[in-house]
Amino acid sequence: MKHNILKNIFDFLENEENIRAPFMWKWLNNEPLTEDDLHINGDLDLTFSNIESLPEGLKVGRNLILTFCENISSLPEGLIVRVNLIVEDCSQLYSLPKGLKVGGTLYIGTSPLGEYSEGELRNMVGDDGYLKRIHYL
């Protein structure tokens, strides 16, 4: 019932007011995502989220925060995070995706991410980015 009410509200806002439905609402409810939906202008804070993955083509304009996301097991190839990517306490995330680009700091806290060489991580953040890795599980 609540889902249908929210869907009607978001449909009205999109069709009549040209206001997009929130990305997370669409993603969690299997609503179709447009190219515009995949370009998040600000932060995407998924702290304590139950998501298992993120969609292909996702670009985050500021920070992507993945803390205590115990079910996430993969990130999409080609993920772009313009500022910081924070990964901490994501117990099912064992690797970073190919083509990952982080414009600021790549912060890896307590997560079982595999071993990456300094060169591999530097390639993800570029010459102006920073790396911060706390410890491994």
Side-chain angles (χ1 to χ4, degrees):
M1 180 73 167
K2 287 181 184 179
H3 177 269
N4 288 337
I5 292 170
L6 282 174
K7 180 168 176 28
N8 289 338
I9 291 169
F10 290 138
D11 285 346
F12 172 81
L13 289 172
E14 282 196 32
N15 296 328
E16 302 299 323
E17 302 294 328
N18 202 27
I19 298 172
R20 291 187 310 182
F23 164 79
M24 283 306 296
W25 187 85
K26 284 185 163 184
W27 181 243
L28 292 174
N29 289 286
N30 296 315
E31 293 290 322
L33 294 169
T34 66
E35 188 73 24
D36 285 342
D37 292 328
L38 294 172
H39 294 237
I40 310 295
N41 290 326
D43 295 333
L44 183 55
D45 186 347
L46 300 174
T47 301
F48 290 107
S49 170
N50 288 325
I51 64 165
E52 296 176 5
S53 65
L54 290 168
E56 295 289 328
L58 183 64
K59 296 177 183 175
V60 181
R62 294 212 27 89
N63 303 304
L64 175 54
I65 304 165
L66 300 169
T67 54
F68 304 102
C69 297
E70 296 180 356
N71 296 323
I72 195 162
S73 60
S74 67
L75 298 176
E77 286 190 18
L79 174 64
I80 297 172
V81 181
R82 298 261 183 247
V83 183
N84 302 316
L85 172 57
I86 300 166
V87 179
E88 184 158 17
D89 289 311
C90 298
S91 59
Q92 300 301 310
L93 189 61
Y94 292 97
S95 64
L96 295 171
K98 292 179 183 176
L100 172 65
K101 295 294 179 194
V102 179
T105 299
L106 173 56
Y107 175 92
I108 302 171
T110 308
S111 290
L113 289 168
E115 296 281 339
Y116 290 92
S117 71
E118 179 77 17
E120 289 172 311
L121 292 172
R122 175 66 48 210
N123 205 24
M124 293 175 194
V125 298
D127 294 333
D128 296 328
Y130 298 96
L131 304 172
K132 186 167 186 176
R133 183 158 192 157
I134 302 301
H135 54 78
Y136 306 95
L137 281 179

